Amino acid sequence: MFAEKVIELLKEAERNPATIDPFNDDKIRQILEEMQSLFKMNMNDANATMENKTLWTTVQVRHSALERNKRCLLAYLYNRMNKIKTLRWEFGSVLPPDVRELLSDDEYLWFSKYSSNLASYMRSLGQDIGYNGIDLTENLKPPKSLYIEVLCMADYGKLELEDGDVILLKRNSRHFLPTSECQTLIRQGILKQIT
Amino acid sequence: MDLIDTNIALSDEDDEEEITAEVVLKTLQSAWQNERLAPEILPHRNDMVECMLGQIQHMERNINKLPKIDLRASIHKMELSRIKFIICNYLKTRINKIEKYCIPILNEERQRMETGSNYLTPTEFKYAQEFVMNMENHVKTVVLSKMPGNMQLFEMNKMAEHPNLHSHVFLKANETVTGIVLEDLAGEDEEIDLEEGSQHILQYKPIADLIKNGKVQLI
């Protein structure tokens, strides 16, 4: 059946909408091969139909299969781009190695471009009045309290706070810190909120 | 100590206007609320954002003068982080919309720029352009270039996602507006009036202009 593989690909991707699967290089190659062979058959028949109209419907059916394949492949890529975007907001500009492996090289290139575009936009915010940018990936949730109690999950080392105090983050130590300064560390899994 | 300046000079193109920090915050809050609830992108309020950022800077400097354990310091800090959240969330909502509807937004924006009534700030516009370009390059290298000859074209209008302007919104009228034409599916138009302070559920499209000029507020 035409366009069967591409449907498999989309179904696979749809199975876990919240997470990202490894890039399915193999299946995409097969789909592209299917498209090439459909195209070749169409070219042959189209030349033959010049005088003979009986093959005309066959050509049209193949052509719609080609269109469908294209549309579905683009949908697959577009969906993955959306998921990669959320990775940028969750992890920042550096991806953890296990997540990085799920992206193809081209997708990783897209990620870095997206990331630097976003970064240069954020740097430009408020530049006219002497700010050097606002990080929009902070302040994702409405602030509830100024300070929160956190548990340290890993040996991180020294952390300098905005007011100049330096604290030592050691595994299993508890701290009472300003919310704004531990958001990034919480997202990276180094701190865990316990209040 | 007075932490908030009561008067800020806001330079406008034609005349110098004096507005209070409170008004700026209120305007920003309603812009934020509208932006979050409207399906399409609204004209930017960069003037308000920058004005508020200036205020924040000013207040932060004042707070730092207070001793750390002062109660006033933590109350003001809390207030500041709320304002910062609003600004961040406002800008982020706009960025999300720009990404989602990048192609129609860019097309409309190019027309609007000719008349000088642009909705995006210059940096937002640059961001949107870059975003579309990256997307185009990505799909081209990954699949399009490997497709048969007649399939390789990147069709902008087929990739475009449009905001649903027919979705319904809750709104409150800031002033009395008369003669809003609601289109009916059957082709029978209906005219309604909004009274000041009244609340309605309406389709977004007929009232889109009223939001942009501040006559109604989305809730």
Side-chain angles (χ1 to χ4, degrees):
Chain A
M1 261 283 279
F2 297 148
E4 208 166 50
K5 290 232 160 55
V6 84
I7 297 299
E8 273 172 40
L9 182 76
L10 290 188
K11 273 189 182 157
E12 232 169 68
E14 203 159 63
R15 239 165 249 153
N16 18 354
T19 56
I20 190 159
D21 291 326
F23 186 73
N24 203 334
D25 224 348
D26 199 39
K27 195 149 263 165
I28 288 186
R29 214 196 56 244
Q30 289 174 14
I31 294 162
L32 288 170
E33 271 166 20
E34 184 192 296
M35 289 181 76
Q36 290 291 357
S37 67
L38 277 173
F39 182 69
K40 241 178 241 146
M41 285 194 277
N42 251 2
M43 283 306 275
N44 287 339
D45 288 350
N47 289 337
T49 41
M50 287 302 174
E51 54 269 19
N52 179 0
K53 288 277 183 220
T54 49
L55 287 171
W56 189 233
T57 29
T58 327
V59 171
Q60 276 196 324
V61 169
R62 286 199 199 112
H63 187 76
S64 15
L66 279 170
E67 294 259 5
R68 187 175 179 77
N69 270 334
K70 176 179 175 183
R71 195 175 172 90
C72 293
L73 275 180
L74 289 180
Y76 177 72
L77 287 183
Y78 184 71
N79 251 310
R80 286 183 66 89
M81 278 193 264
N82 279 339
K83 283 182 184 171
I84 298 168
K85 273 196 308 210
T86 55
L87 294 179
R88 171 63 180 84
W89 292 88
E90 272 168 38
F91 295 108
S93 55
V94 183
L95 289 180
D98 54 328
V99 180
R100 160 76 183 86
E101 267 172 33
L102 299 173
L103 309 184
S104 73
D105 289 345
D106 284 316
E107 278 177 321
Y108 189 67
L109 189 72
W110 184 82
F111 171 82
S112 353
K113 278 187 190 157
Y114 175 75
S115 171
S116 61
N117 190 21
L118 187 67
S120 67
Y121 170 71
M122 293 196 296
R123 256 200 314 279
S124 75
L125 290 173
Q127 218 165 34
D128 298 346
I129 51 162
Y131 261 76
N132 39 11
I134 309 168
D135 190 355
L136 296 181
T137 61
E138 277 175 21
N139 303 320
L140 287 182
K141 287 189 196 123
K144 286 271 186 287
S145 58
L146 269 185
Y147 290 88
I148 51 170
E149 210 176 339
V150 288
L151 178 69
C152 195
M153 306 301 284
D155 284 314
Y156 180 76
K158 282 177 184 164
L159 174 75
E160 193 180 333
L161 300 179
E162 236 170 58
D163 54 13
D165 290 351
V166 178
I167 52 160
L168 186 65
L169 295 178
K170 263 174 83 176
R171 199 182 149 84
N172 289 333
S173 59
R174 282 176 168 216
H175 303 271
F176 194 58
L177 296 176
T179 317
S180 56
E181 298 192 42
C182 27
Q183 286 310 323
T184 328
L185 291 172
I186 289 176
R187 257 182 286 139
Q188 287 169 358
I190 290 160
L191 296 177
K192 197 173 137 191
Q193 189 173 349
I194 48 177
T195 42
Chain B
M1 185 174 14
D2 190 18
L3 288 176
I4 307 172
D5 263 359
T6 38
N7 286 300
I8 315 159
L10 188 81
S11 54
D12 230 5
E13 279 150 31
D14 36 12
D15 59 331
E16 196 97 340
E17 246 184 286
E18 290 259 313
I19 50 171
T20 63
E22 207 192 331
V23 176
V24 177
L25 184 58
K26 279 245 170 66
T27 325
L28 198 61
Q29 267 171 338
S30 75
W32 173 51
Q33 219 173 340
N34 280 340
E35 194 70 64
R36 299 259 315 167
L37 295 165
E40 64 163 352
I41 193 120
L42 299 176
H44 72 85
R45 295 308 308 263
N46 208 24
D47 48 344
M48 291 296 142
V49 171
E50 290 199 342
C51 188
M52 206 64 233
L53 285 176
Q55 270 301 292
I56 290 176
Q57 231 174 10
H58 182 75
M59 279 172 78
E60 264 171 355
R61 243 178 271 132
N62 281 344
I63 289 173
N64 283 339
K65 283 183 209 148
L66 289 170
K68 232 193 226 174
I69 42 163
D70 198 314
L71 178 65
R72 282 176 300 171
S74 39
I75 291 173
H76 279 295
K77 262 191 193 162
M78 192 63 213
E79 190 55 33
L80 274 186
S81 56
R82 289 199 182 108
I83 299 173
K84 273 188 201 159
F85 170 75
I86 292 178
I87 295 177
C88 278
N89 199 275
Y90 172 66
L91 295 172
K92 210 189 127 196
T93 312
R94 290 180 63 84
I95 281 293
N96 284 345
K97 277 190 197 171
I98 290 172
E99 284 174 358
K100 197 162 184 213
Y101 308 124
C102 51
I103 295 169
I105 284 180
L106 272 181
N107 288 342
E108 286 161 24
E109 187 68 11
R110 284 202 190 96
Q111 287 170 6
R112 279 193 290 258
M113 274 161 103
E114 281 169 20
T115 56
S117 56
N118 48 324
Y119 283 6
L120 307 186
T121 65
T123 45
E124 278 174 339
F125 184 69
K126 203 178 129 239
Y127 180 80
Q129 274 181 317
E130 192 98 336
F131 183 79
V132 174
M133 209 179 71
N134 283 342
M135 184 165 84
E136 193 179 335
N137 283 342
H138 179 63
V139 295
K140 267 187 184 157
T141 43
V142 179
V143 291
L144 286 182
S145 63
K146 293 167 190 151
M147 283 184 188
N150 62 347
M151 292 280 140
Q152 283 187 1
L153 206 66
F154 179 80
E155 289 152 299
M156 278 284 187
N157 48 7
K158 280 197 187 169
M159 286 294 279
E161 202 172 330
H162 291 273
N164 179 11
L165 299 182
H166 297 291
S167 61
H168 285 75
V169 287
F170 290 81
L171 60 100
K172 187 178 173 194
N174 289 336
E175 51 188 275
T176 308
V177 190
T178 51
I180 299 162
V181 181
L182 302 180
E183 277 170 40
D184 200 309
L185 275 180
E188 288 165 34
D189 291 353
E190 191 189 339
E191 233 183 74
I192 57 155
D193 299 337
L194 303 181
E195 241 169 81
E196 188 180 337
S198 60
Q199 299 186 1
H200 307 265
I201 307 175
L202 289 174
Q203 238 182 34
Y204 176 75
K205 206 175 177 189
I207 50 124
D209 286 333
L210 298 177
I211 292 170
K212 286 165 197 166
N213 58 29
K215 286 188 176 149
V216 300
Q217 165 76 39
L218 295 183
I219 46 175

